[in-house]
Amino acid sequence: IMRYRMRQVKEWLSCTDLSISEIASKSPFSGAPPIETFPQDGGMTPGEYRRKHRPENFRELYKW
């Protein structure tokens, strides 16, 4: 379940314009925002993950 939840947070980081604080409030983690869980999971902060994994044309690719 934790992997699924982290995958959802990573998808929001790489596919949306949501701020990290918005993602934390929408996060499926009970009580622990993704900013605290991220370094344990991937060794990088949510901002670093977003810069590394979000394509420049993500708005064109991911029209929700």
Side-chain angles (χ1 to χ4, degrees):
I1 292 174
M2 291 297 286
R3 280 189 220 143
Y4 170 79
R5 291 175 175 174
M6 184 58 69
R7 188 171 53 223
Q8 186 175 16
V9 168
K10 288 178 177 180
E11 183 176 341
W12 288 337
L13 285 168
S14 60
C15 301
T16 71
D17 273 328
L18 294 172
S19 70
I20 293 171
S21 60
E22 288 174 309
I23 292 172
S25 69
K26 293 177 182 289
S27 171
F29 291 96
S30 58
I35 199 159
E36 294 174 8
T37 312
F38 237 82
Q40 298 168 6
D41 181 61
M44 62 181 82
T45 67
E48 291 169 338
Y49 183 88
R50 174 173 270 172
R51 284 188 293 279
K52 183 175 181 180
H53 294 283
R54 183 166 68 177
E56 289 186 29
N57 63 340
F58 77 97
R59 287 184 187 93
E60 295 170 19
L61 295 172
Y62 306 109
K63 292 183 182 184
W64 302 101

